[in-house]
Amino acid sequence: MKLKDIELTDKNHFVAMEYYFLILNRTFLIIKTNGFLIGIQGNGLVSVEGGSNYLTREIVSTMAIKGDLTNPHSYLKNSYLEKVENVDLLDGSLKLLNKTNFLIKTSDIKDAQYNPNKKWGMGYYPHDGRVTIETFENKKREFIILGNQSGQDISNWILTK
C-alpha cells in the first residue's frame, strides 16, 4: 500500500502535531487503514510569527504556517509527503526513511482519550484540543488536532476496530 494510491477522506485520516523535547514539534498526516495507524511526518518545526528583533522575526516567519489555518492540510508540506508517496507504508520502510514516521497496530491501542483543552504554546493556530493514544505496552502519544477537525470524533474513530 502506497500513499499515492490512497484517497484521503475525512473517514481515513487526520492531521495533528506532536510536541517533543518540550517545545519542539512535528506535524503528521495520520492514516487509519488495514489495521494500522500510519504516521507520516508532513512538516518540521512550526512557529507563530513574531519576535522582538529583525533576525528573530525572519527566522520564525520561515516556520510559520501560511494560508487557511482552519484547513488541516495547510499544515503539511508537499516536499515531506512526496518523499514517501511511492513507499510501501506497511512493510517498515516508511520508518527507515524517517525515524519520526510510525506504524501502530490498531489492535495494540488500549485507549484514545480526547482532551478539549487548548495546548500551551499553540498561539493563534486553531486546534481542537488533543488526542492521547495509549497502547497495551503503556506507551502514550499526544496529538494536537490541527485546524477544523473534531478531536472527539478522531478519538472515537481511532477506537473503532
Side-chain angles (χ1 to χ4, degrees):
M1 170 185 297
K2 297 179 180 175
L3 180 59
K4 70 177 186 176
D5 299 327
I6 298 174
E7 180 183 348
L8 297 176
T9 71
D10 60 350
K11 303 292 184 206
N12 68 358
H13 81 286
F14 63 100
V15 178
M17 182 181 290
E18 180 179 49
Y19 281 10
Y20 67 100
F21 295 125
L22 189 60
I23 61 169
L24 301 177
N25 58 65
R26 50 193 167 213
T27 303
F28 289 97
L29 169 65
I30 302 173
I31 301 167
K32 183 179 177 190
T33 186
N34 292 351
F36 290 94
L37 274 186
I38 304 164
I40 302 168
Q41 185 176 2
N43 202 341
L45 290 176
V46 172
S47 179
V48 295
E49 291 187 279
S52 58
N53 63 53
Y54 174 77
L55 182 59
T56 302
R57 283 191 304 275
E58 286 299 306
I59 291 171
V60 297
S61 73
T62 64
M63 296 184 288
I65 302 301
K66 310 282 194 278
D68 180 3
L69 299 180
T70 62
N71 179 352
H73 291 263
S74 296
Y75 296 83
L76 301 172
K77 288 186 177 175
N78 285 335
S79 60
Y80 280 80
L81 301 178
E82 288 169 353
K83 291 177 185 175
V84 300
E85 68 183 354
N86 290 306
V87 172
D88 187 321
L89 299 175
L90 302 176
D91 72 357
S93 55
L94 183 66
K95 186 106 168 107
L96 294 175
L97 286 175
N98 183 335
K99 66 181 181 174
T100 64
N101 294 333
F102 62 87
L103 193 62
I104 301 172
K105 289 181 182 178
T106 54
S107 62
D108 290 343
I109 297 173
K110 176 168 57 173
D111 201 8
Q113 289 288 320
Y114 170 61
N115 178 345
N117 297 326
K118 299 296 181 187
K119 180 72 172 180
W120 172 87
M122 289 298 291
Y124 52 75
Y125 292 118
H127 61 287
D128 187 39
R130 301 163 272 171
V131 171
T132 301
I133 298 171
E134 182 178 6
T135 67
F136 286 105
E137 295 177 346
N138 294 319
K139 294 181 181 178
K140 292 184 181 183
R141 296 189 79 157
E142 180 183 76
F143 296 104
I144 304 161
I145 307 304
L146 298 171
N148 187 19
Q149 303 177 98
S150 168
Q152 183 66 65
D153 289 349
I154 290 168
S155 176
N156 293 340
W157 167 75
I158 288 170
L159 291 173
T160 304
K161 303 294 180 195

